[in-house]
Amino acid sequence: MVWLNVLVQGILIGGFYALFACGLSLMFGVLKVINLAHGDMAVVAGYVAVFLTPHLHLPEVWSFLIVVPIFTLVGYVLQRTLIQKSIDRDPFTTLLVTFGLSVVIENLLLEIYSANGQTVNIGDLIAKSWHPASIIYVSYVSLGVLGVAVLVLFILQLFLSKTGTGRLIRAVADDREAAQLSGANYRHIFGIAASLAFATVALAGIAYGMMTQFAPTSGGVNLLFAFEAVVIGGIGSLWGTLVGGIALGIAQQFGAHINPQYQILAGNILFLVVLALRPQGLFGRRTSLA
Amino acid sequence: MSETLLEVKNLVVHHGQLKAIDDVSFSLNEGEVLTMIGANGAGKSTLLRTIAGLHRQTSGSIFFKGEDISSFAPHRRVAKGVSLVPEGRRLFSSMTLQENLQVGAFHAKKGPFTIERIYELFDWMAPRRRQRVWQLSGGEQQAVAIGRALVANPKLLLLDELSLGLAPIIIERIYSLIPEIIAQGVSILVVEQDVAQGLAVADRVHCLLEGKTSLTGVPADFTPEQVERAYFGAGLVATTSREGES
Ligand SMILES: Nc1ncnc2c1ncn2[C@@H]1O[C@H](COP(=O)(O)OP(=O)(O)OP(=O)(O)O)[C@@H](O)[C@H]1O
Ligand SMILES: [Mg+2]
C-alpha cells in the first residue's frame, strides 16, 4: 500500500513534468531549437499570474485566461524576431541566444521581485485531497494538473494530426525544404509552433506556482526534468512525453521513498539507462511528431 | 510563337567558394518540355533549386511570367506557380500518402489538379492513401512526390532526376504522364540522367558542363556525338542549334 501511494504520487508529478515538457518537445521537434530559457519562461508565467491578475480583479486560479494568450502572442513574436535570427545563423547560436535569455530573465526577475518565494494563490483548494484508501493521498491540485496535462496533449495531438495547419507543422518538422516547396512559409509555421509551445509553458508555470513555491531561479531544475521527460519518452512523440514524464515522476518518487536524497538521482539514473539502451526514447520514431 | 514562361538570365550560383552555376541563360516557353542534362555534379540540381528559391543566386536573375522572382522566398514562388519535385523525392516521412498530398494542396491555387484528380491519375493510390509513405516503393514514392507538386496547380513543374533508382518499366510509366500534364497547361523543366529518356520527351534540351552551358537547342538538331561531347566535355565550345537561339 505504501508503494502504491509512491506510484500514485509519481504519476501525479509526472503529469506536471509532461505539461512542462511538451513545449520543449515541440520547440525541438519542429524548430530544432533547444530552448534553454524554457524553464525561465514558465517562471515568468508564474510571476505574471501572481502580480498581474490581482490588478485585473481576477482570482489567481483563473490567471491562465490572461497569461496563456499573452504567452501565445509573445511566443510568436519572439520566434519571428530573436529566435529566427539565431536559427538563420546556425544551431549553436540558438543555444547561446536561449541561454542568454535564460540568464537575462533570471536576473530581471531577481531585480524586480527579489529572491522571495511566490505561489499562485488558489485559496483552500491547495489543502484539499482525496483519500481513496487510508494511506493513498491524491491532492486535488496535482490531480487537476495531471488532467490539464492530458487534455493539453490530447488537444495538441488532435491539432497536429487533423488540421491543415497542424499538418504543415509536421511537414516542416519532417523536412523544412520540402514543406517550403509545398508552399509553406516555414517562418510563420515556426511562429505558430512557438506560440503553442509558449502557451503550454505558461500553463506549466502557473501549475507549478499552484503546486509549490517558485523563485526567479526555479526554471533550471524544471528544465532538467522536462528535458529528461522528453528524452525518456522519445523526441517528437507527444504521448511519449507524457509517458516519459510519468516514468520520471515514478522513478523520483521511488528514489525519494528509499532516501529523500535519492529523488533526483533516481530520475537521472532512469534517464541514463533509457539513453543507453534506447537512445530514441520509449516512443521515439525516426522523425515523426504525431 | 507562345509566351515565354521562364527566363533565366546570366545566372551565377555558388556553394561557398565553388561556382556551381556559371553564367547560365535560357528560357522556357509555355507548353514546352525542356530537358536539362549533364554529368554528375554539373549543377543541374543547383539550378533547379535556385529557380525554386531554395538557393540564392550570386548574380543574374530569374523571370517568371515577366516578373523578376529572383528574390522571392520559395513559398512565394509556389504561389506564383513554380513547383519543384526535388531530387530524392523528399516526402514527409512521418505522414501518410494522403497527408503528403494534403500538405501540397493546403496553399494550392485553383486549377485542374485536385487530390481526387491525382487518385484518378494513379489508380493504386486511393486504396493505399492511409499508408505511411516509407511503406511505398521507390516508384510509388516518386508518384506521390509528383502528385504533391501537381496539387499546388503549378504553371511550371521542375522535376529533378525523375528516374533515379527506378526500374525501366516504372520510368516509362512516369514519363507517360508528361503529355497529360502538359495538356493541363503546365510547362515542364526536367533534369534527367538518362539522356535518351530525357531527349525523347524534350521540345528543347539544355546541357550543363561544370556549371556552364555546353549545348542548347532542339534535340533533333544534334547528333548523338554532339550531345556526348557536350555531356562529357570533350569539346569546350558551346553548341547551339538554329532554333535554340530564338
Ligand atoms: N549543399 C552543397 N554544398 C556544397 N556544395 C554543393 C552543395 N550542393 C551541391 N554542391 C556542389 O555543387 C556542384 C553541383 O552540384 P549539383 O548537385 O547541382 O549537381 P547535379 O548536376 O545535380 O549532380 P547529380 O547528377 O549528381 O545530381 C557539385 O560540385 C556539388 O558537389
Ligand atoms: Mg542533382
Side-chain angles (χ1 to χ4, degrees), chain A residues 52-279:
Chain A
L52 180 68
T53 44
H55 291 295
L56 304 169
H57 308 288
L58 193 74
E60 287 178 31
V61 190
W62 298 105
S63 57
F64 67 90
L65 293 177
I66 307 291
V67 182
V68 170
I70 294 177
F71 266 62
T72 307
L73 196 68
V74 167
Y76 188 88
V77 172
L78 204 60
Q79 166 54 35
R80 291 303 299 264
T81 53
L82 194 62
I83 304 178
Q84 185 64 52
K85 285 264 183 320
S86 60
I87 292 174
D88 289 341
R89 301 272 309 262
D90 61 85
F92 186 63
T93 309
T94 64
L95 274 182
L96 284 181
V97 164
T98 59
F99 181 69
L101 262 182
S102 161
V103 172
V104 168
I105 290 172
E106 279 186 24
N107 282 302
L108 276 179
L109 289 176
L110 272 171
E111 196 65 38
I112 302 171
Y113 297 114
S114 82
N116 292 343
Q118 304 288 345
T119 55
V120 176
N121 184 5
I122 50 172
D124 54 3
L125 193 63
I126 186 75
K128 292 211 172 117
S129 64
W130 172 50
H131 296 263
S134 60
I135 203 165
I136 296 178
Y137 166 95
V138 178
S139 134
Y140 280 175
V141 177
S142 300
L143 191 63
V145 171
L146 175 63
V148 168
V150 172
L151 188 68
V152 163
L153 288 171
F154 180 75
I155 291 171
L156 269 182
Q157 181 74 32
L158 210 60
F159 177 73
L160 289 176
S161 56
K162 297 285 179 238
T163 68
T165 305
R167 266 196 299 274
L168 284 193
I169 291 178
R170 285 158 59 211
V172 170
D174 272 2
D175 188 330
R176 187 203 296 180
E177 279 189 354
Q180 289 177 273
L181 293 176
S182 300
N185 177 0
Y186 82 92
R187 290 159 194 264
H188 177 61
I189 300 295
F190 274 8
I192 293 173
S195 283
L196 293 173
F198 273 62
T200 63
V201 89
L203 283 175
I206 295 167
Y208 189 66
M210 289 177 176
M211 296 189 313
T212 181
Q213 277 205 345
F214 62 91
T217 51
S218 301
V221 67
N222 282 305
L223 175 68
L224 174 69
F225 294 159
F227 186 68
E228 290 185 337
V230 170
V231 173
I232 292 170
I235 286 166
S237 163
L238 285 174
W239 292 120
T241 301
L242 181 64
V243 174
I246 288 176
L248 181 69
I250 291 172
Q252 287 184 350
Q253 292 301 314
F254 272 98
H257 188 71
I258 295 164
N259 180 333
Q261 290 186 334
Y262 292 166
Q263 179 180 350
I264 293 175
L265 180 69
N268 292 349
I269 289 174
L270 174 69
F271 169 68
L272 290 175
V273 168
V274 170
L275 211 52
L277 299 182
R278 207 177 148 79

Side-chain angles (χ1 to χ4, degrees), chain B residues 128-167:
Chain B
R128 299 173 64 186
R129 64 187 183 278
R130 300 206 188 288
Q131 278 187 5
R132 307 244 158 207
V133 286
W134 51 262
Q135 293 172 306
L136 306 176
S137 72
E140 289 162 351
Q141 290 185 8
Q142 188 63 274
V144 177
I146 294 170
R148 183 180 66 183
L150 280 180
V151 289
N153 286 305
K155 295 299 290 175
L156 171 63
L157 188 62
L158 309 169
L159 301 167
D160 197 351
E161 305 271 7
L162 263 193
S163 59
L164 196 70
L166 301 182

Side-chain angles (χ1 to χ4, degrees), chain B residues 50-86:
Chain B
T50 308
I51 296 171
L54 294 174
H55 274 303
R56 247 338 119 76
Q57 64 280 357
T58 314
S59 62
S61 40
I62 301 163
F63 289 84
F64 185 71
K65 290 192 206 162
E67 184 180 11
D68 187 351
I69 60 165
S70 313
S71 61
F72 285 18
H75 67 274
R76 287 188 61 203
R77 302 191 195 200
V78 176
K80 289 286 171 194
V82 180
S83 285
L84 168 64
V85 178

Side-chain angles (χ1 to χ4, degrees), chain A residues 170-171 174-175 177 183 287, chain B residues 49 90 93-95 99 107:
Chain A
R170 285 158 59 211
D174 272 2
D175 188 330
E177 279 189 354
T287 49
Chain B
R49 288 168 54 86
R90 307 279 291 267
S93 57
S94 73
M95 297 192 191
E99 286 177 322
H107 287 292

